[in-house]
Amino acid sequence: MAVSDRAPVLTIDGPSGAGKGAVSARLAQRLGWNVLDSGAVYRAVALAALDRGIDVDVDREALVELARGLPLAFRAGSDGIEVELDGCLAGDRLRSEAVSVMASRVAVLPEVRAALLDLQRGCRKPPGLIADGRDMGTIVFPDAELKVFLQASVEERAKRRYKQLKSKGENVILSRLFQDMQARDRRDRERAVAPTVPAFDAVVVDSTRLPLDGVVQRIIDLASCRFDI
Ligand code: C5P
């Protein structure tokens, strides 16, 4: 077995808005581990497909080919993890609405998910990996030493998203965000491939009333029982 296969993995799965990204970045910093943002991987496939004019409904083969050889790299930047696609920083383009919609369309295709497995598993390198996503503990790293499922109430997640978008000057309506989030949760939970559900051996952490520092500390406490940290 290669050294990289033995590197420990801590998976953080859960619905959007539960705080996985912020928690994963803090954990990676505290432990000095690598981090995989698997949502960014799906977003990168979507962005690269849009850039190349690939029609998801027509040219499935080109999409799978693209996913298999995705020219993607993660770099530690001054502002957290930066994503490089085709040798250039992807920046805000990765978070645009068009890319979000396309990402959720490519993410339901089993052949695309299969094509991205090696890339994601390749991130498992010493001293360890924090893997953030929806199916990290169930499919990508079923043998992870610690699996966390981070959840929060829909109301709280919609409120967080509202504050975030307002601070960026976007004109949004809370009740609309709440409805969108409920619909997205249902789609993610009930989809046939890689649904967002806790692994049978995951520890569920609820961040509804727990601030970021509290969530991070709770996971560090769990991790210190499982890892030599
Ligand atoms: O988390 P984020 O919003 O960046 O994810 C982008 C898209 O990729 C979403 O549609 C999400 O459902 C999908 N995704 C996935 N599996 C993962 C991570 C994200 O299907 N492990």
Side-chain angles (χ1 to χ4, degrees):
M1 192 189 278
V3 171
S4 59
D5 292 336
R6 286 197 300 267
V9 184
L10 193 172
T11 58
I12 312 278
D13 287 308
S16 58
K20 299 186 302 282
V23 167
S24 299
R26 290 271 191 104
L27 285 169
Q29 213 171 26
R30 286 265 301 259
L31 301 177
W33 284 15
N34 304 294
V35 64
L36 163 64
D37 174 356
S38 60
V41 174
Y42 286 93
R43 286 173 182 274
V45 175
L47 177 56
L50 287 169
D51 281 351
R52 287 160 176 77
I54 295 175
D55 185 333
V56 180
D57 296 317
V58 178
D59 208 349
R60 207 56 72 72
E61 242 170 65
L63 190 66
V64 172
E65 200 59 34
L66 176 67
R68 216 172 269 139
L70 196 66
L72 179 73
F74 291 105
R75 312 237 173 278
S78 51
D79 231 9
I81 305 291
E82 290 171 349
V83 179
E84 243 181 50
L85 184 63
D86 286 320
C88 300
L89 280 184
D92 287 344
R93 295 182 70 212
L94 219 53
R95 300 260 141 217
S96 72
E97 189 54 24
V99 168
S100 302
V101 171
M102 183 68 124
S104 68
R105 289 180 64 201
V106 302
V108 297
L109 303 173
E111 59 272 50
V112 170
R113 303 197 72 90
L116 292 170
L117 280 176
D118 284 351
L119 185 152
Q120 297 178 83
R121 289 181 178 149
C123 295
R124 186 175 195 169
K125 290 187 183 132
L129 177 69
I130 310 290
D132 158 353
R134 307 283 198 289
D135 61 343
M136 299 294 100
T138 48
I139 291 169
V140 183
F141 302 108
D143 60 338
E145 288 81 357
L146 176 58
K147 300 177 185 179
V148 171
F149 191 84
L150 188 61
Q151 63 182 25
S153 70
V154 185
E155 290 83 356
E156 179 61 26
R157 288 184 288 123
K159 268 192 229 157
R160 289 177 194 167
R161 184 90 182 118
Y162 178 78
K163 276 195 208 148
Q164 205 179 36
L165 293 173
K166 275 281 181 192
S167 71
K168 284 190 196 163
E170 287 191 38
N171 197 11
V172 282
I173 301 165
L174 182 59
S175 58
R176 183 66 202 273
L177 283 179
F178 178 82
Q179 282 169 2
D180 287 352
M181 203 154 253
Q182 251 181 339
R184 180 135 49 109
D185 278 0
R186 196 170 317 116
R187 261 202 315 272
D188 280 351
R189 213 175 34 236
E190 293 173 1
R191 69 183 180 191
V193 279
T196 309
V197 289
F200 76 91
D201 49 351
V203 180
V204 177
V205 174
D206 195 308
S207 75
T208 308
R209 277 181 249 293
L210 206 53
L212 178 60
D213 286 343
V215 175
V216 171
Q217 194 51 53
R218 165 109 176 83
I219 298 174
I220 292 279
D221 292 345
L222 291 167
S224 58
C225 303
R226 314 258 173 119
F227 304 112
D228 189 16
I229 53 172

